[in-house]
Amino acid sequence: MTAPTDSTATDAAAYDLTSNISPYLDLHMMFPLLEYIDSLISSGSISYNAMDVAQARLELLKPTHMVDYAMDIYREVHGENAEIPQAMEDQKAGVFKKLEELKDGQAAFEELCRNEELRANLINSNQWNVQSITSDASYGISSETIDNYYKFAKFNFDCGDYQQGRDMIENYLSLFASPPKQRKDDGDEDDDELAGGDDNRNAAEDEKIGNPNMYYLTSVDTTLLQVLWGKLSCEILVEDWEEAAVALVAVKTAIESLASSSKLAPLDALHQRTWLLHWSLFVFWNDASGKGLESMVELFTSEKYLQAITTHAPHLLRYLTAAVLLCKRRAAKKAGNNSNAEGRRLLRDLVKVMKQCEYSDPIVEFVEQLSVKFDFDAAQSQLALCEKVLSTDFFLCKQTELFMEEARVFVFENYCRIHHKIDLTTLGEKLAMDRDRAERWIVDLIRNAMLDAKIDSEEGCVVMGTGNTSVYEKVMDRTKELTARSGGLVVNLRSYMNDVKREKIRKERKAREAMEAEY
């Protein structure tokens, strides 16, 4: 992309993270990002060249099977009357040929999936799996047929049919899953108990239930992990964010399962976690339930994923910082009596992450100036830049207004923490408001945020309370890591005792060998 020229657009381009994020995304996920950049170019918010973006999109389309889309972009780049290269025509013909081959190769299994009655019977009899289906010659299905079904699902995905790809991946995953059986009606259960309740209980005990966090898969390997990645990708691209959150948990569970069983090398696991962090941005920042950002903070600050951020993706600090600022007050309200401590804990953890990451932008710098340096003038100048960064960021643009409101609250909280009495006019200037508006805003803030303060209308100032930390907050703050630290101490002690035992055995063996040598 060409270098920006306009000063406002230059700022936006300088803080654009598309090039940082793109190496960790599926090619198909890049198209929404490029479309958003096109909208920014049209509005003059960023000074990239539209033809450069179109050329980049064309390059991304080459490995896919979205040939018609590629032809449209080719004409956009080279003119409406440009002749389509023969290579693209040959690719289109090849796509249709391969599509028919895969369709024929998986037809038997697709027909079985559509036979809902037969499929339900196979599931109830625990025969809906690869071994049972392929061993029954009446179905005409082999292992190759099922492999072709998955290939056909992936081919549909590469053609841009994400809905079809998602449905087929669900069918494929179900072959390796063992969900709990549906409970019968109460009347039927009574009859079953009279007929042979013991047998039913024994059968239930013998039934192996898969992992509910992983679509009830009974086990996972690197091949199924790739299938789960495909499921997550489809959910993101069809914008089903509720199901995407479920798929995200499934991929995370699979990664940690393989890593803990040494089926995934530590470095490979680190790379997988880095990819998952980037894909999770689509899910968390589009979560309508309001819990997405809290889940994001929890994931990003967990030890293994924090390692991925600090080593591979420090630019993700922008999204973690924004998420903490947006969900800080919400988390504080949920914590009840310990609300202040919870808010401080989130900020402390964030500051620790900032110290580990070599990355900065106006959003990160704004929080650092307030939480670490207490430089309100510098924070105010960074806040002005934050609005530009937010409005031009694909993931954060919808949160711009809310972020600015929470940022003002954050300024107010920090200003009040170091001042006992604050002039309303001065505070209004800090918040870019007139005196009356600032007073109304602060009254609402005190009421909603449960701050220990009051308005002195005669003197025109805000008088802060003592802000003493309760004994409960102090105890919780100092003991919150006690369990983890105790567990670590036990592990270290056990390791030390094992080393002592091994050393003792080694010395005894050496002594025996010395005695045997003497005799």
Side-chain angles (χ1 to χ4, degrees):
M1 298 179 182
T2 57
T5 54
D6 179 74
S7 59
T8 303
T10 299
D11 293 337
Y15 298 118
D16 178 32
L17 294 182
T18 304
S19 59
N20 301 79
I21 293 172
S22 58
Y24 301 100
L25 297 182
D26 184 275
L27 291 179
H28 294 258
M29 294 181 185
M30 284 301 301
F31 299 129
L33 270 67
L34 293 180
E35 288 175 4
Y36 184 68
I37 289 178
D38 277 334
S39 68
L40 294 177
I41 293 173
S42 300
S43 63
S45 301
I46 200 166
S47 58
Y48 289 142
N49 188 290
M51 285 296 106
D52 289 345
V53 176
Q55 186 63 47
R57 187 184 287 110
L58 188 60
E59 290 298 319
L60 289 173
L61 285 167
K62 285 182 179 180
T64 74
H65 302 317
M66 303 167 67
V67 187
D68 287 334
Y69 185 24
M71 289 180 174
D72 292 339
I73 301 302
Y74 183 87
R75 292 190 181 96
E76 180 182 335
V77 174
H78 297 90
E80 288 295 327
N81 298 323
E83 184 178 352
I84 301 298
Q86 186 61 40
M88 297 183 77
E89 296 288 358
D90 294 342
Q91 183 186 5
K92 183 176 182 178
V95 166
F96 281 108
K97 181 180 178 181
K98 185 66 175 178
L99 189 66
E100 291 301 318
E101 290 177 0
L102 291 174
K103 188 175 183 179
D104 294 339
Q106 57 82 52
F109 183 67
E110 183 178 20
E111 183 179 352
L112 179 61
C113 290
R114 291 178 177 176
N115 190 332
E116 295 182 4
E117 183 178 354
L118 178 56
R119 177 174 176 172
N121 291 335
L122 290 172
I123 292 174
N124 291 331
S125 59
N126 293 325
Q127 293 183 330
W128 184 257
N129 54 68
V130 176
Q131 183 178 356
S132 299
I133 292 174
T134 55
S135 61
D136 193 330
S138 63
Y139 300 135
I141 297 174
S142 63
S143 298
E144 184 180 358
T145 306
I146 295 176
D147 289 341
N148 284 333
Y149 186 81
Y150 175 63
K151 291 177 182 177
F152 189 47
K154 190 174 185 305
F155 200 88
N156 275 297
F157 175 86
D158 285 334
C159 290
D161 192 349
Y162 309 125
Q163 183 71 52
Q164 178 71 9
R166 178 180 72 166
D167 295 342
M168 295 182 72
I169 288 177
E170 286 179 356
N171 290 333
Y172 182 81
L173 283 172
S174 67
L175 292 171
F176 306 91
S178 180
K181 297 295 183 293
Q182 292 184 348
R183 301 183 64 179
K184 298 181 180 180
D185 296 335
D186 293 339
D188 292 339
E189 287 181 355
D190 294 338
D191 293 339
D192 288 342
E193 289 178 3
L194 292 173
D198 293 338
D199 293 338
N200 290 332
R201 281 192 294 271
N202 291 335
E205 290 174 359
D206 293 338
E207 181 185 351
K208 184 178 180 182
I209 306 299
N211 191 330
N213 292 327
M214 205 164 56
Y215 297 110
Y216 291 101
L217 294 177
T218 54
S219 62
V220 68
D221 55 22
T222 52
T223 301
L224 280 178
L225 175 59
Q226 293 305 310
V227 179
L228 291 173
W229 275 110
K231 180 73 162 62
L232 175 56
S233 183
C234 288
E235 300 294 358
I236 289 174
L237 291 166
V238 299
E239 299 184 1
D240 188 339
W241 305 120
E242 185 174 343
E243 286 299 319
V246 176
L248 184 71
V249 172
V251 173
K252 178 179 180 290
T253 305
I255 291 172
E256 300 311 322
S257 175
L258 291 171
S260 62
S261 59
S262 300
K263 295 179 181 178
L264 197 63
L267 187 58
D268 292 335
L270 182 63
H271 289 153
Q272 294 277 339
R273 294 185 187 110
T274 306
W275 278 71
L276 187 66
L277 287 168
H278 286 82
W279 289 32
S280 72
L281 295 175
F282 289 93
V283 182
F284 292 137
W285 289 103
N286 286 285
D287 190 328
S289 68
K291 299 179 181 178
L293 297 184
E294 294 171 23
S295 300
M296 175 182 168
V297 172
E298 182 180 355
L299 176 65
F300 278 47
T301 54
S302 60
E303 182 181 356
K304 294 176 181 178
Y305 287 84
L306 182 57
Q307 182 185 14
I309 293 175
T310 55
T311 57
H312 284 15
H315 53 271
L316 292 180
L317 181 60
R318 168 187 295 184
Y319 302 102
L320 175 59
T321 304
V324 168
L325 204 59
L326 288 169
C327 71
K328 182 171 67 70
R329 280 202 299 166
R330 190 186 311 156
K333 287 182 180 180
K334 288 184 179 180
N337 292 333
N338 200 32
S339 60
N340 292 332
E342 179 63 19
R344 288 197 298 271
R345 183 191 67 80
L346 286 174
L347 285 171
R348 277 201 308 271
D349 291 345
L350 177 61
V351 171
K352 290 178 183 177
V353 178
M354 287 179 176
K355 292 178 180 178
Q356 299 176 49
C357 292
E358 295 183 1
Y359 173 82
S360 183
D361 65 22
I363 295 174
V364 175
E365 190 67 21
F366 167 72
V367 175
E368 184 178 4
Q369 292 294 342
L370 281 181
S371 297
V372 181
K373 301 178 181 178
F374 293 98
D375 188 335
F376 291 93
D377 292 333
Q380 190 173 6
S381 63
Q382 292 298 325
L383 186 58
L385 292 173
C386 282
E387 191 166 7
K388 299 177 184 177
V389 175
L390 290 161
S391 61
T392 55
D393 188 291
F394 175 81
F395 299 103
L396 302 178
C397 58
K398 297 178 182 178
Q399 305 291 337
T400 302
E401 185 175 345
L402 180 59
F403 180 93
M404 297 303 291
E405 175 66 16
E406 292 295 331
R408 291 191 183 96
V409 173
F410 191 41
V411 170
F412 178 72
E413 289 175 343
N414 281 273
Y415 199 80
C416 293
R417 189 173 295 126
I418 61 177
H419 294 83
H420 174 65
K421 185 179 290 188
I422 309 162
D423 182 69
L424 281 172
T425 303
T426 303
L427 188 58
E429 292 175 357
K430 297 288 183 184
L431 301 173
M433 297 177 179
D434 58 50
R435 184 185 181 284
D436 293 338
R437 185 185 170 199
E439 183 175 354
R440 289 194 299 270
W441 184 84
I442 293 169
V443 168
D444 291 337
L445 182 63
I446 292 173
R447 183 186 300 118
N448 296 330
M450 299 175 292
L451 294 177
D452 184 12
K454 62 181 181 180
I455 300 288
D456 188 335
S457 299
E458 293 183 359
E459 294 189 15
C461 63
V462 181
V463 181
M464 302 304 301
T466 57
N468 292 329
T469 305
S470 68
V471 174
Y472 174 75
E473 288 185 12
K474 291 179 180 178
V475 172
M476 290 298 295
D477 205 26
R478 294 183 180 183
T479 61
K480 64 185 179 64
E481 296 179 354
L482 187 59
T483 303
R485 290 163 60 188
S486 300
L489 185 61
V490 170
V491 171
N492 292 336
L493 181 60
R494 186 180 294 118
S495 177
Y496 174 75
M497 294 302 295
N498 290 336
D499 290 340
V500 170
K501 289 179 181 179
R502 283 194 292 268
E503 182 64 19
K504 183 178 179 181
I505 293 171
R506 187 186 67 80
K507 289 181 179 179
E508 290 176 351
R509 186 185 300 114
K510 189 174 181 180
R512 284 197 303 268
E513 291 174 353
M515 292 178 63
E516 290 174 357
E518 290 180 1
Y519 290 105

